[in-house]
Amino acid sequence: MQKGSFFLGKSSRMSHIGLLGICFLSLVAGALECPLQISPQSVVVRYGDSVSVNCSTSVTHDGMGWESTKGGVPLSKASLITWRVSQLTDWEIEPPFCYINYGQQQQCEVALPVTIYKTPDSVSISTANQAMTEGNQYELQCDIHNVAPAQNLTVNWYKGETLVNQTNFTDNTKSPVNKIIRLPIHPDRADDGAQYRCEAELNLGEEGPQPHPKNTSEPLSITVHFKPTIHKLPSTVSVVRGYSKVVVCKSEGHPKPTISWSDGTNTVNGENFTITESTAENLTCTATNAVGSSSRSVTVVIQENITPIIIGIVCGILLVISVIFIYIYITCYKKNKMGHYNFKKPKASKGLLAQPAQTP
Ligand SMILES: *[C@@H]1O[C@H](CO)[C@@H](O)[C@H](O)[C@H]1NC(C)=O
Ligand SMILES: *[C@@H]1O[C@H](CO)[C@@H](O)[C@H](O)[C@H]1NC(C)=O
Ligand SMILES: *[C@@H]1O[C@H](CO)[C@@H](O)[C@H](O)[C@H]1NC(C)=O
Ligand SMILES: *[C@@H]1O[C@H](CO)[C@@H](O)[C@H](O)[C@H]1NC(C)=O
Ligand SMILES: *[C@@H]1O[C@H](CO)[C@@H](O)[C@H](O)[C@H]1NC(C)=O
Ligand SMILES: *[C@@H]1O[C@H](CO)[C@@H](O)[C@H](O)[C@H]1NC(C)=O
Ligand SMILES: *[C@@H]1O[C@H](CO)[C@@H](O)[C@H](O)[C@H]1NC(C)=O
């Protein structure tokens, strides 16, 4: 029995705490949770499109309704009511809300966030100077007309297929806006002919259209002018006296550079210059275009014509060798003459041996 009374005692204490807890929870729940389900819980609607949202309850009530500047539903005994607008064209629409009267004069409401969007009428790209010069800074401009809402707009800048910059906006204007965005660029020679474009992207979250609506400008090609550079020119050229050699000065630049050669007294236009023994020691190639010019010097070395000397030396060597051979031949011949009998003897014996066979 002691056990039982103890059990009873504990149970009553627990139920006291339980009752308090339930009271507290229902108070909190009454303040925080309204017995309404709205579906979907938020909407993203294209300007001018239709929209409908259900509001339902599972509790018995004294009436519920939708409060809205458009498509409101008056107090109703139904447990499912629909807010419906066939053409949503009010940019500044107040978020509609569904309300319910229930229990002992309790009322609560749930608001519906509404986002109205519009893709831009046009997206265009431009620049003040389409012909640019390497080393300077320029600006590209993107014009976006009539887009909403600004805070969900992202402007993407592309160079070719590469995303080079991105701009987001913080203004919370709900109605359409025009945006002008500028992108500073520092083009170099590799960017000559590069194509830029800008793109307006609307990121409207999970409820919004997928994929994100994107509108892109026509591509803009830029022209980059740059100073000429001279490459692959030897710093020294040697020419044999009496002969000539052509040196070629190749240059890269935009616009195409004009090239000239100068040895201080004569100037020759064109890439090629013929060096002879009368060319001055210091020769300069200059490449020039509208952006600037650059020069490279070539040192001319005239080599004495050593061919006759070489021929002389070769002749001399040949002469010496000939003399040596003649000498050797003569000495050998003498020796041969002396040893002639020794060699001739067997030959003669051979002949003698053969002869008897021929003349028996
Ligand atoms: C709203 O309720 C109706 C009727 O139950 C249903 O046909 C419709 O699909 C619901 N709409 C949404 C958006 O839940
Ligand atoms: C994008 O452009 C802004 C200026 O318009 C600049 O401050 C920022 O550094 C750029 N970002 C990148 C990644 O180039
Ligand atoms: C711009 O916003 C998009 C999403 O809306 C985000 O992914 C991106 O990182 C943002 N870019 C910048 C430069 O803040
Ligand atoms: C629009 O952008 C704002 C700010 O980035 C964000 O809080 C909001 O959720 C976005 N709207 C939608 C429908 O995603
Ligand atoms: C912008 O893009 C959307 C789809 O992303 C397209 O429906 C609309 O016609 C485009 N607007 C313009 C002006 O090209
Ligand atoms: C220059 O010389 C190259 C060969 O070295 C030749 O192919 C070219 O035609 C010449 N150019 C001129 C303008 O004479
Ligand atoms: C060759 O001439 C150029 C231009 O006239 C000059 O800058 C350079 O110093 C000269 N070089 C020599 C080795 O004299």
Side-chain angles (χ1 to χ4, degrees):
M1 281 293 107
Q2 242 188 339
K3 253 188 180 176
S5 72
F6 173 75
F7 185 71
L8 211 104
K10 188 166 189 191
S11 160
S12 71
R13 253 182 283 154
M14 270 183 83
S15 68
H16 263 88
I17 296 166
L19 266 171
L20 269 170
I22 286 163
C23 263
F24 179 73
L25 275 176
S26 63
L27 267 172
V28 170
L32 288 182
E33 214 172 89
C34 192
L36 289 175
Q37 290 81 45
I38 60 172
S39 164
Q41 287 179 324
S42 66
V43 283
V44 176
V45 190
R46 187 167 54 182
Y47 179 78
D49 277 4
S50 65
V51 60
S52 72
V53 177
N54 288 342
C55 179
S56 62
T57 187
S58 52
V59 301
T60 51
H61 61 95
D62 305 323
M64 55 193 272
W66 273 104
E67 185 68 47
S68 174
T69 48
K70 283 249 175 64
V73 177
L75 201 64
S76 157
K77 289 282 182 191
S79 60
L80 186 151
I81 53 173
T82 305
W83 174 68
R84 191 178 277 121
V85 177
S86 59
Q87 278 193 320
L88 197 55
T89 53
D90 181 6
W91 289 110
E92 303 298 336
I93 190 170
E94 289 292 323
F97 57 86
C98 184
Y99 62 90
I100 185 169
N101 297 318
Y102 69 106
Q104 281 158 352
Q105 292 192 334
Q106 284 198 73
Q107 193 186 52
C108 66
E109 60 193 47
V110 177
L112 172 73
V114 174
T115 305
I116 307 174
Y117 73 91
K118 187 192 165 302
T119 58
D121 290 339
S122 68
V123 178
S124 58
I125 188 170
S126 61
T127 178
N129 340 51
Q130 198 151 351
M132 305 176 174
T133 303
E134 185 179 55
N136 295 350
Q137 178 176 308
Y138 298 91
E139 236 173 30
L140 302 181
Q141 181 174 315
C142 186
D143 287 87
I144 299 170
H145 279 278
N146 223 8
V147 64
Q151 66 173 344
N152 298 89
L153 174 69
T154 299
V155 176
N156 301 314
W157 290 94
Y158 289 92
K159 180 170 134 188
E161 292 307 311
T162 311
L163 180 68
V164 291
N165 206 330
Q166 207 174 46
T167 311
N168 288 338
F169 302 89
T170 52
D171 46 338
N172 49 18
T173 317
K174 288 179 175 168
S175 54
V177 290
N178 297 332
K179 288 285 177 193
I180 295 176
I181 311 100
R182 295 189 175 86
L183 178 73
I185 58 166
H186 300 265
D188 64 25
R189 59 192 60 198
D191 296 326
D192 188 31
Q195 292 198 323
Y196 280 92
R197 64 193 167 88
C198 64
E199 177 187 76
E201 176 180 359
L202 280 172
N203 179 2
L204 296 155
E206 282 174 15
E207 297 286 333
Q210 306 293 342
H212 299 161
K214 288 174 179 174
N215 295 86
T216 187
S217 70
E218 291 288 311
L220 172 80
S221 293
I222 62 163
T223 301
V224 183
H225 287 171
F226 55 93
K227 195 179 134 164
T229 48
I230 297 169
H231 42 89
K232 285 189 197 157
L233 194 62
S235 55
T236 305
V237 174
S238 44
V239 175
V240 175
R241 191 178 296 283
Y243 291 80
S244 69
K245 197 180 244 178
V246 177
V247 278
V248 183
C249 181
K250 290 271 183 209
S251 170
E252 195 181 30
H254 192 203
K256 190 173 162 56
T258 56
I259 296 168
S260 66
W261 280 101
S262 170
D263 70 349
T265 46
N266 302 312
T267 300
V268 175
N269 290 324
E271 290 180 346
N272 295 0
F273 186 88
T274 306
I275 298 175
T276 63
E277 61 187 74
S278 56
T279 303
E281 192 187 355
N282 188 5
L283 193 58
T284 305
C285 169
T286 304
T288 309
N289 69 7
V291 182
S293 66
S294 52
S295 302
R296 283 270 293 269
S297 295
V298 174
T299 303
V300 176
V301 178
I302 305 293
Q303 288 181 331
E304 288 313 321
N305 192 346
I306 56 169
T307 317
I309 300 167
I310 290 170
I311 291 168
I313 290 168
V314 170
C315 286
I317 289 167
L318 283 176
L319 201 72
V320 169
I321 289 169
S322 313
V323 167
I324 291 167
F325 267 95
I326 289 165
Y327 174 77
I328 290 168
Y329 180 76
I330 290 168
T331 38
C332 278
Y333 184 74
K334 272 183 184 164
K335 269 186 187 164
N336 282 355
K337 237 182 176 175
M338 277 160 76
H340 198 228
Y341 303 103
N342 301 337
F343 290 118
K344 210 161 183 185
K345 230 178 185 173
K347 256 187 187 172
S349 62
K350 243 185 193 170
L352 282 170
L353 274 166
Q355 258 172 358
Q358 270 179 337
T359 50

